[in-house]
Each structure stands twice: as C-alpha cells, then as structure tokens.
C-alpha cells in the first residue's frame, strides 16, 4: 500500500498539470464561445456590408471594371504577402510581443516594407501593363500604389489586441472599418461610375481605419525603433512565415493571374463574384483561427496527444456545424446568385457551388494551420500550401483548355483536398491527427449536400441535381 501511494500522487499531480494547461485553451468555455461569437457576429455583419457593396457595384459598374479591379487587388495582395516576414505573427507568438521596444521594432520593419513595396509597384507598372496588354494599368497601378504606404504605417495595435485576446474590441473595430469603407465605396460609385471610384474607395477606405488604429492603444507609445534582438527574433520566426505567405499567395491567386490573360475580363469579373462569396467563408475561419486558436495554443504548454485531447471535442463541434451550414449553402448557392444578380452574372451560380465544396477542406486545413503556427511549426503550413500550388499550376491550364471554365474551377476542390491531406500527415507525426473525426464529418457533409439539394427541389426552391447537371454542361468559354 505504501508503494502505491506515491504513484497515485504522481498520477494525480500529472493529471492536475494537464488540466491546468488545458484550461488555457478550453476554460472558461464561456469565454471562448463568447470570443468566437464576437468574431462570427461582427464578421457576418462585415460580409453583409460587403455583399451589399458588391451587389450595388455590380449594378452601377460594368463587369469589365470589376475584373480590372480584381486584377489590381490581386497585385496588391501579392505585394503584401510576398514580402510578409511575420511581423504581426511575431508580436503574437513572441514572449516579448507586449514590450514597447519589440512591437515598435516590428512596426518600423512594417513601415520600411511598405515604402519598398510602393517603389516596387511603380517600377513594375510598365512591364505589368504591357504583359496584360492593358494600357489603363499605366495609370491605375501607380494610383493604387500608395495603399502600400498606408498599410505600412498602420499601427501594430491590432496584433497586440490579438495577443492579449481582446477579441471584442478588435472585432468591433474591424466592423466599423468595413462600414466606413462601404459608405465610401458606394458614394464614390454613385458620383462617378468608373474605375476611379474603385481606386479612390480602396485608398480612402484603408487610410481612415489606418489612422484610427493608433487609438486602439496609447497612441503616444508609437516610436520608430530598431532593436537588434527583436529584429533577429522576428526574422527567425518570420522566415517560414515568408515562405508560407509566398506559396499561399501563389496558390490563392494563380487563378486570378492566369484567368486575367486566358479569359475575357467580363468572365473574370463574373468569376470574381463567386470567389468573393467563397473566400468570405474561408476568411471567417482564418479570423477564428488567427484570433482564438493561434494565440491560445501559443500561450499553452500542451503539445502532442495532450493538445489533441484538449481541442478534439470542440473541433468536432465546429466541423459538424460547418458541415451542416456549408451543405445548405451549396444546395442554395446558384439560386442565391440568380436572385441577387442580373442575368449577366448567372454563370457565377455554378462557379460558387463548386468552390464551396472545396471550402470544407479549406476550413479543416485552416484550423490545422492555426494549430501549427501556435506550436511554432510554420514550415508545415508552407509545405501544404506549396503542394496545393503545384496541383493548381499543373492542372488548371490543362482543364481550362480541354474542358472549359466549370471543369477548371473543380481543380480548386482537388487542390484544397490535397493540401488538407498533407497537413493530416504532418499532424500525425506530431501526435495531432484527427483523421477519424474528419472522415466521419466528411461523409456527413457529402450526405447533407444531396439531402438538402433534393429536399429544396421537392419544395420547388431549386432544380435539384438535374439543375446542376445542366449548368455543368456549359463551358463558359
């Protein structure tokens, strides 16, 4: 009996440490669900505003203008992601992230990066305009280039709030910024229904929130700073963030860059409508991962199987909710497009239906990404996005040329599934595999798609599977 007492005490002690560490991730659950609620509600409100903006602009402006702006925004996103060295992620992940010297050093790096991107955008204007045989870009790209300076000057306050898990304050700020951008964009489009409304709307809608971001914390704490130790820490963590961002951009935007040269700008604008809705769902889970999962896992001491046990039940709940809501969205996607857009955008209905299937795999992969970043393994994120990029580059041009636009879009479903599979393998090596849970949820998801589609057909809301077959027979080329 005496020998067993120390063993029982050790077991109880180990269990207590596990529970204490898990509490940093799971308890109080009300706080986590509350944070997730704030992110979700404000994000849905943001998307409602963006949807309204999207619909109004589609009525006010020609599809070719939306296609041109999609290309400009792709270059903008590319410039930011291709030079991302993890400034924000370093503030969240590093133990010194809350220190003034550290985050001011990060802010200084961000400013320098913005200035360099502005200069690079001006330098590349002529070759890009000639490459796409679009003389308008000779004026439009330099006009949009100051966006890099504006984003570079934006306060690091949002990363500090993210680290401190002040989700409510950050979510409300983002909602207010979106509301301002919506008013600015629509007002300008009414006044001047040209491409310049979109350019000035982008600049004004970014500049005002950038200025307001300084007041999220004590604005007097902002100083230009260059601390060598902080720079080394940011560069060390950021090298994998840079690679992950590079391949992420190429994987997410190769289609836009390729389609801009391979299909008419009108079709690109229609495709952009579908991408906007598909991406909005992914962005929600990227926000949930970035604002909740990433900082909580970073702050926790749990790793491997202990971390798996801690997050497994909540992950199951999230995937079940995703499967139900996404399956219904897929069943109704084409009817939604037919309802809110005129006949010029009808092809976006089937585009969106196909893209949303890939979104399920994207959401599962996004949750894995946030966990990998939290345990300090950004290399796995880079690897999975790299494999996704290879699939898209190899398959997209061939599918478009031989089978048309609908078939080409199906490539993104395959690419997301393969990206997810790579992350499953990497998670398994770290004791974090959820393959059984995911296979169950995938079967549930697929079954619900067919159930909802046929049920809505019986109610006379959709055309059922026959409607999908008819839409799939069109090449749109």
């Amino acid at each position: 009996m005496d020998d067993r007492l120390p063993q029982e005490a050790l077991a109880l002690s180990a269990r207590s440490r596990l529970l204490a560490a898990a509490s940093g991730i799971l308890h109080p659950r009300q706080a986590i669900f509350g944070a997730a609620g704030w992110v979700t509600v404000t994000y849905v409100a943001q998307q409602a505003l963006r949807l309204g903006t999207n619909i109004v602009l589609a009525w006010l402006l020609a599809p070719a203008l939306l296609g041109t702006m999609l290309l400009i925004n792709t270059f903008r996103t590319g410039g930011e992601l291709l030079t991302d060295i993890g400034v924000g992620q370093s503030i969240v992940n590093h133990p010194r992230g809350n220190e003034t010297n550290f985050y001011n050093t990060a802010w200084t790096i961000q400013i320098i990066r913005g200035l360099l991107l502005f200069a690079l955008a001006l330098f590349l204007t002529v070759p890009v305009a000639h490459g796409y045989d679009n003389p308008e870009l000779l004026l439009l790209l330099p006009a949009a280039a100051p966006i890099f300076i504006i984003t570079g000057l934006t306060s690091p306050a949002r990363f500090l709030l993210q680290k401190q898990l002040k989700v409510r304050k950050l979510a409300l700020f983002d909602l207010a910024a979106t509301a301002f951008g919506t008013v600015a964009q629509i007002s300008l489009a009414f006044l001047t229904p040209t491409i310049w409304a979109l350019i000035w709307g982008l600049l004004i809608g970014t500049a005002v929130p950038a200025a307001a971001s300084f007041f999220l914390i004590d604005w007097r704490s902002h100083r230009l700073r260059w601390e060598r130790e902080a720079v080394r820490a940011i560069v060390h963590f950021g090298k994998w963030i840079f690679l992950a961002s590079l391949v992420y951009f190429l994987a997410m935007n190769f289609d836009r860059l390729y389609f801009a040269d391979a299909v008419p700008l009108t079709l690109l604008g229609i495709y952009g409508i579908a991408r906007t809705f598909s991406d909005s769902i992914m962005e929600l889970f990227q926000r949930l991962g970035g604002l909740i999962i990433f900082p909580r896992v970073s702050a926790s001491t749990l790793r491997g199987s202990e971390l798996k046990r801690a997050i497994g039940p909540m992950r199951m709940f999230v995937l079940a909710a995703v499967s139900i809501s996404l399956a219904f969205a897929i069943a109704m996607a084409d009817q939604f497009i037919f309802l809110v857009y005129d006949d010029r955008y009808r092809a976006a209905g089937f585009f969106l239906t196909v893209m949303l299937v890939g979104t399920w795999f994207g959401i599962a992969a996004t949750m894995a990404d946030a966990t990998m970043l939290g345990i300090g393994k950004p290399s796995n994120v880079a690897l999975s996005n790299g494999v996704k990029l290879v699939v898209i580059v190899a398959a997209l041009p061939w599918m478009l040329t031989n089978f048309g636009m609908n078939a080409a879009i199906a490539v993104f479903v395959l690419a997301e599934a393969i990206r997810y599979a790579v992350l499953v393998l990497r998670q398994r090596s770290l004791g974090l595999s959820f393959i059984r849970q995911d296979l169950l949820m995938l079967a549930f998801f697929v079954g619900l798609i067919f159930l909802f589609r046929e049920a809505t057909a019986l109610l006379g809301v959709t055309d059922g599977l026959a409607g999908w077959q008819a839409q799939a027979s069109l090449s749109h080329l």
Side-chain angles (χ1 to χ4, degrees), residues 179-201:
F180 175 81
T182 296
V183 172
Q185 193 75 268
I186 293 177
S187 299
L188 288 166
F190 268 117
L191 293 172
T192 172
T194 67
I195 190 65
W196 292 105
L198 299 176
I199 296 291
W200 284 107

Side-chain angles (χ1 to χ4, degrees), residues 402-425:
N402 291 280
F403 301 101
M405 191 72 171
N406 285 336
I409 291 174
V411 170
F412 300 108
V413 180
L414 174 64
E416 286 290 4
I418 293 176
R419 172 192 169 214
Y420 158 76
V422 171
L423 285 167
V424 167
L425 294 175

Side-chain angles (χ1 to χ4, degrees), residues 308-320:
K308 176 183 176 180
R309 286 195 296 272
I311 66 178
M314 186 173 294
R315 187 180 183 279
M316 180 80 164
F317 172 80
V318 170
L319 269 184

Side-chain angles (χ1 to χ4, degrees), residues 80-91 93 113 233-249 294 369-370 372-374 376-383 385:
E80 292 176 347
L81 288 178
L82 294 179
T83 58
D84 184 7
I85 58 170
V87 170
Q89 295 92 328
S90 295
I91 292 174
N93 184 263
R113 169 174 163 256
I234 292 169
V235 172
H236 176 73
F237 184 75
K239 62 177 182 259
W240 285 110
I241 299 295
F242 167 75
L243 182 59
S245 296
L246 170 63
V247 295
Y248 174 80
F249 166 75
F294 171 39
D369 284 349
M372 290 292 187
L373 288 175
K377 300 289 184 181
S379 58
N380 292 324
V381 179
L383 175 64
N385 280 316

Side-chain angles (χ1 to χ4, degrees), residues 126-180:
V126 173
V128 168
H130 288 168
Y132 283 96
D133 193 24
N134 189 341
E136 288 186 343
L137 294 178
L138 292 172
L139 291 176
L140 297 177
L141 290 178
I147 193 70
F148 294 120
I149 298 177
I150 296 170
T151 54
L153 290 170
T154 302
S155 169
R158 63 175 299 106
F159 303 120
L160 292 171
L161 295 181
Q162 184 179 350
K163 183 179 182 66
Q164 297 161 9
L165 296 173
K166 294 182 178 179
V167 175
R168 176 176 175 271
K169 186 176 183 179
L170 186 55
L172 289 173
F173 176 81
D174 288 342
L175 176 58
T178 301
F180 175 81

